[in-house]
Amino acid sequence: AVTFTRTAANDLVEKLAQLGVPGADQVAAKTLHSLSFSLLSRTAVFQALNRTARPLMDFERDTLVCDLSRAFGGKREVERLIQAFESYWARMQHHQPGWPHDPHEQAFHHALIAWLRFHRAMLIGELVPLAYDFITQNPGHPDIPVYEHVLVDEYQDLNRADQALIDAIGGHAAVTVIGDEDQS
C-alpha cells in the first residue's frame, strides 16, 4: 500500500490488522519516497547508480547552495535551479533526448550531480525518479520487490514520476488506485 505520509501508512496497517483478516499482517504500507529509498539503499542498486542513498539534510543543502553559488549566479539562482530540476524530475523531463537543453542548465546539472556524488547524498526530489530509472533499466533484478497487489491512496495527487513508479512496481500485480475524482 502506497500513500503520502508515514502516519497514513501506519494507520492503514493498524486498520487492516483490526479487521482480523488472514494475511493482513503481511501488508507493507509505505510512502513512495520510503519505497524508493528502501530500493535505492540496497547495495547492488546504489553501486549500479554510482550514488549513495542518503537524503541531503537541510543544513547540507545550504552548503550545496553556497558551494555552487559562485559558478551559477548566486544563492537565489542556485535555489531556483534546484527547484527547477526537482520539477523536471517530477515531470520526467530528464527522459527527453538532449535534456537539459540550455547550456547553463547542462553545466548546473553536471555540477549538482558531481557535488551530490562527492558528498554521498541525493536530493529528496531524486528518490522516485532514480528508483523508477533503476527498475525500468534493470527488469528482473533480484533487488526489485515483486508484489501481487498494489494499493495506491490519493492517486490524484501523484506527479508523472510517481505514477510511472507505481506502474513499474505494479508490473503484473493487481493495481488499485484510490483518489478523489473531483481533485486534479
Side-chain angles (χ1 to χ4, degrees):
V2 178
T3 188
F4 269 92
T5 66
R6 288 180 292 206
T7 302
N10 292 335
D11 289 348
L12 184 61
V13 169
E14 287 177 23
K15 287 180 182 178
L16 286 171
Q18 290 172 0
L19 293 175
V21 176
D25 59 333
Q26 296 176 8
V27 172
K30 299 181 175 198
T31 66
L32 270 178
H33 287 96
S34 173
L35 179 71
S36 297
F37 184 77
S38 65
L39 172 66
L40 295 172
S41 294
R42 297 173 189 205
T43 302
V45 177
F46 72 73
Q47 286 176 344
L49 294 171
N50 190 26
R51 298 295 301 275
T52 302
R54 184 183 70 79
L56 196 66
M57 305 299 276
D58 287 341
F59 72 90
E60 294 174 304
R61 184 178 171 116
D62 293 341
T63 303
L64 163 66
V65 170
C66 286
D67 286 353
L68 298 182
S69 66
R70 185 173 296 160
F72 294 98
K75 291 180 181 180
R76 283 191 181 134
E77 177 62 7
V78 170
E79 284 288 355
R80 185 196 69 75
L81 286 165
I82 290 172
Q83 288 177 354
F85 274 80
E86 288 179 328
S87 178
Y88 297 155
W89 293 323
R91 292 190 310 261
M92 306 221 15
Q93 287 178 284
H94 65 290
H95 284 220
Q96 296 174 1
W99 176 86
H101 303 288
D102 178 88
H104 180 68
E105 287 185 352
Q106 289 173 350
F108 180 78
H109 180 254
H110 292 297
L112 174 64
I113 299 303
W115 192 98
L116 291 167
R117 280 190 173 130
F118 179 80
H119 292 282
R120 297 187 177 136
M122 62 179 45
L123 297 171
I124 295 296
E126 292 182 284
L127 286 173
V128 169
L130 282 173
Y132 170 78
D133 288 347
F134 181 79
I135 289 171
T136 57
Q137 293 170 14
N138 300 280
H141 192 282
D143 284 329
I144 298 172
V146 177
Y147 301 103
E148 283 184 52
H149 303 277
V150 177
L151 172 71
V152 185
D153 188 24
E154 301 292 339
Y155 188 80
Q156 77 280 355
D157 294 331
L158 300 180
N159 62 43
R160 185 172 177 207
D162 296 340
Q163 292 171 349
L165 179 60
I166 294 298
D167 290 343
I169 65 168
H172 299 290
V175 177
T176 303
V177 297
I178 302 166
D180 186 342
E181 61 189 32
D182 295 328
Q183 290 184 9
S184 56

